[in-house]
Amino acid sequence: MIYAFLNQKGGVGKTTLSVHTAAELTRLGRRVLLIDADPQGSALAWANCRENPAFTVVGMPKATIHKQIPLLAGDYDDIVIDGPPRIAELARSILLASDLVVVPLQPSPLDIWAAAETVDLVREAQVYEPDLKCCLAINRRIVKTAIGRDVRDALKELDVLVLEHDISQRVAFAETLANGSTVGRDDDRKGAKEIERFVEELRRMT
């Protein structure tokens, strides 16, 4: 299964969700490859801080990624792609390679507009890849506020599935990117549970 995390806007949490999705799939016994397709290289930087690598991370910010992934896919059960912002040619190549596109967004108007642009790219790709699936993921939701509910209402006009399980804004998620780790049960049990439910929901879509 090839999961791609894409949004035309930066700073929505693509890398955080990519890394944690790869880690959770690995915990479930899957052989996972994480591809950093963002020229900024955030996932690679995270990987360089790891002490005990549990899965492989490679950089591939190339517009030919859809041609190269089939050469790698046989060695892995799942591939997770951390996509770039604002590089339409590369994003289109990622879309052609993917089975499921996850569009992370924060609960803000700017993120909703950017998500709409990404959904448009997905629909273009579905002309050539009709089995390509897409969903929206609300990230960095502030706990105990009505923002999550309000953003769901606003997203209805995009006519795309919004994942039931949001990811909350937690210091632990930010800290993991700096030290090459992921949120575990010992660090933040609630955060770890959110990731478990999030990945479980993604797997149900496949």
Side-chain angles (χ1 to χ4, degrees), residues 59-180:
M60 199 183 293
K62 302 175 182 179
T64 56
I65 194 170
H66 64 289
K67 297 178 181 179
Q68 298 181 34
I69 281 183
L71 303 176
L72 304 170
D75 295 328
Y76 300 96
D77 299 313
D78 297 307
I79 295 176
V80 179
I81 305 173
D82 181 16
R86 292 292 172 193
I87 307 180
E89 185 179 2
L90 178 50
R92 288 189 178 97
S93 182
I94 292 170
L95 289 169
L96 292 175
S98 303
D99 298 308
L100 172 61
V101 179
V102 185
V103 184
L105 66 146
Q106 297 179 95
S108 77
L110 288 177
D111 282 39
I112 294 171
W113 297 332
E117 293 180 17
T118 307
V119 168
D120 287 342
L121 288 177
V122 173
R123 288 183 173 137
E124 287 177 17
Q126 286 172 332
V127 173
Y128 305 97
E129 299 290 341
D131 293 331
L132 177 63
K133 298 178 181 179
C134 179
C135 63
L136 305 174
I138 299 173
N139 189 35
R140 295 176 181 162
R141 178 181 60 83
I142 301 174
V143 180
K144 296 181 180 179
T145 68
I147 295 176
R149 181 196 64 222
D150 294 343
V151 75
R152 284 178 180 277
D153 290 340
L155 290 171
K156 287 178 181 177
E157 64 184 51
L158 297 184
D159 194 27
V160 176
L161 174 70
V162 182
L163 293 180
E164 178 183 345
H165 295 102
D166 302 343
I167 303 297
S168 303
Q169 181 164 306
R170 298 179 184 278
V171 173
F173 285 124
E175 290 176 343
T176 58
L177 286 186
N179 59 27

